[in-house]
Amino acid sequence: MADQKIVSGWIFIGFFCGLFGVLYASAGDADPLYRTCVKQCEKSGCIGESCFKQCSFSSDGTSAGSPWYMQEPLYLRWKQLNCRSDCRYHCMLEREKEREKLGHGPVKYHGKWPFKRVFIFQEPVSVVFSAFNLAMQFYGWLSFMILVYYKLPLRPQNRKTYYEFTVLWTMYGVFSMNSWFWSAVFHSRDVDLTEKLDYSSAVALVGYALIVAIIRTFNVRDEAVKVIIAAPLAAFVTTHILYLNLYQFDYGLNMKVCVTMGVAQLLLWAVWAGVTKHPSRFKLWAVVLFGGLAMLLEIYDFPPFWGYVDAHALWHATTIPLTYLWWSFIKDDAKFSTFSRQGEANDGMKVD
């Protein structure tokens, strides 16, 4: 039974890391014909007879035919990013047409399958599911706040909650919503800036979730001890994010960091669920089990159906009900701890 729990835990790493796409593979962008197409497009602004206005630059690098306020460096940089994005997209479509004629299947470009755009959205289905996850996180966070501050009893002396982990879960909700927001943005428009924001917010969430896991599973109530636990982990995560953004965006290193922190917190929750008498421990095991099954979509990756729905998009869909169940466990934990602490307080008053 213990071995089965550990195996389930390893599979369920995806609940913390898989949604952030740290395990992408790449093949199509190594194709010399594709790379040549992108280079020529960025220089000329055209692929065959199709030309893109985002790629209209003069010889000195300024935007051709634009007013002065559109010739500022920040605007030009964003326009160049859009030019590169459009060139990659249309060169990818051309190469995939050629591969299809030769009887070859689709390959990944820059770590992503060849998707068909819908307006400005590069991965429309993933964007929709990311938005739903964001909404579910907001619903869970808001219902948690209403529960602890308006439905459950507060301490009569200072009107604070009996639940010692209120602030931790409140900030967890903020980190989660931030991460899903940038996930939606990244899947909408994949450029260097949105990629860094997506990965950085994901690492911040995984690191903070590890802090929460340690504090909650060990039932740390002393504020000084919480700081002692959180400070080194927060420093490590911050340093890692700065390294990725300012020195080298190392996908392999980021994957190792994410998986290590994910394994640690998963094992903490798994062991705690196995030894605790918590009335909602079965919800926690349900999240582990179904999260592990959903992770099979990440392991057995496949190209997008009709150019829109791939395994990663479907995985995003599975996290929506899991998020609801996870926040349900958190709210149950708040209720259980509140009434336990309130009972202890009342017993202390009787003794006095």
Side-chain angles (χ1 to χ4, degrees):
M1 180 62 71
D3 291 338
Q4 291 177 351
K5 292 180 179 178
I6 294 174
V7 171
S8 298
W10 277 90
I11 294 176
F12 182 58
I13 301 275
F15 184 72
F16 299 99
C17 297
L19 69 94
F20 308 120
V22 296
L23 302 177
Y24 286 145
S26 184
D29 48 305
D31 184 346
L33 295 177
Y34 166 79
R35 296 172 67 180
T36 300
C37 174
V38 173
K39 288 181 180 179
Q40 292 177 348
C41 174
E42 289 181 348
K43 291 180 180 179
S44 64
C46 299
I47 300 176
E49 297 181 355
S50 301
C51 296
F52 316 110
K53 62 181 181 179
Q54 292 90 340
C55 298
S56 57
F57 294 93
S58 63
S59 59
D60 62 355
T62 60
S63 185
S66 299
W68 67 269
Y69 56 83
M70 291 187 175
Q71 297 183 20
E72 293 298 316
L74 183 60
Y75 174 81
L76 288 176
R77 186 176 180 184
W78 181 255
K79 191 172 183 181
Q80 287 170 341
L81 290 174
N82 280 334
C83 172
R84 181 183 303 170
S85 177
D86 284 341
C87 286
R88 287 179 175 181
Y89 174 70
H90 290 283
C91 285
M92 175 191 71
L93 292 183
E94 291 297 320
R95 285 298 297 141
E96 284 301 306
K97 289 179 182 178
E98 295 171 5
R99 290 178 58 83
E100 187 176 0
K101 290 178 181 178
L102 295 174
H104 300 312
V107 294
K108 289 186 175 182
Y109 296 82
H110 305 284
K112 291 187 175 184
W113 292 111
F115 290 92
K116 293 180 180 178
R117 289 183 181 178
V118 176
F119 301 110
I120 65 170
F121 303 108
Q122 293 180 336
E123 299 176 50
V125 176
S126 290
V127 172
V128 170
F129 289 145
S130 293
F132 274 117
N133 273 286
L134 173 60
M136 187 59 68
Q137 288 286 354
F138 177 73
Y139 170 78
W141 174 80
L142 182 62
S143 60
F144 170 76
M145 297 291 286
I146 293 173
L147 173 69
V148 295
Y149 285 108
Y150 295 100
K151 294 184 177 180
L152 293 177
L154 300 174
R155 297 178 186 270
Q157 61 271 30
N158 54 20
R159 304 301 294 171
K160 292 183 178 180
T161 65
Y162 282 99
Y163 188 47
E164 294 90 345
F165 311 107
T166 298
V167 175
L168 283 177
W169 287 120
T170 300
M171 292 304 300
Y172 172 82
V174 173
F175 275 97
S176 297
M177 289 184 286
N178 175 70
S179 182
W180 278 113
F181 171 79
W182 289 115
S183 173
V185 172
F186 175 60
H187 287 302
S188 299
R189 199 68 170 171
D190 180 2
V191 297
D192 290 342
L193 177 62
T194 58
E195 181 182 44
K196 288 181 178 180
L197 287 169
D198 177 48
Y199 276 73
S200 297
S201 60
V203 174
L205 171 60
V206 176
Y208 184 78
L210 175 58
I211 294 173
V212 174
I214 295 172
I215 292 176
R216 179 61 192 96
T217 55
F218 285 95
N219 198 29
V220 179
R221 298 180 179 181
D222 186 86
E223 294 298 325
V225 178
K226 289 180 181 179
V227 172
I228 292 173
I229 293 171
L233 288 172
F236 169 76
V237 172
T238 302
T239 303
H240 177 66
I241 292 174
L242 291 174
Y243 176 86
L244 291 179
N245 287 274
L246 301 179
Y247 183 70
Q248 181 182 3
F249 203 87
D250 191 328
Y251 293 94
L253 174 64
N254 188 61
M255 180 185 70
K256 292 175 183 177
V257 170
C258 181
V259 169
T260 300
M261 292 192 296
V263 169
Q265 61 190 276
L266 196 282
L267 291 178
L268 285 170
W269 285 117
V271 172
W272 185 76
V275 301
T276 186
K277 300 296 184 180
H278 198 286
S280 294
R281 61 188 180 278
F282 299 107
K283 288 184 179 180
L284 186 57
W285 276 118
V287 174
V288 172
L289 174 62
F290 290 110
L293 293 175
M295 190 54 196
L296 295 176
L297 292 169
E298 289 287 274
I299 297 173
Y300 299 104
D301 196 11
F302 53 80
F305 292 114
W306 313 291
Y308 297 108
V309 183
D310 70 334
H312 189 68
L314 291 178
W315 190 88
H316 276 334
T318 64
T319 58
I320 298 172
L322 288 176
T323 297
Y324 177 85
L325 190 60
W326 180 242
W327 276 106
S328 177
F329 161 75
I330 294 170
K331 288 183 285 187
D332 287 350
D333 185 50
K335 294 177 185 177
F336 177 69
S337 297
T338 294
F339 292 126
S340 297
R341 295 291 290 169
Q342 186 184 31
E344 293 175 5
N346 291 337
D347 291 342
M349 292 176 63
K350 291 179 180 178
V351 171
D352 293 339

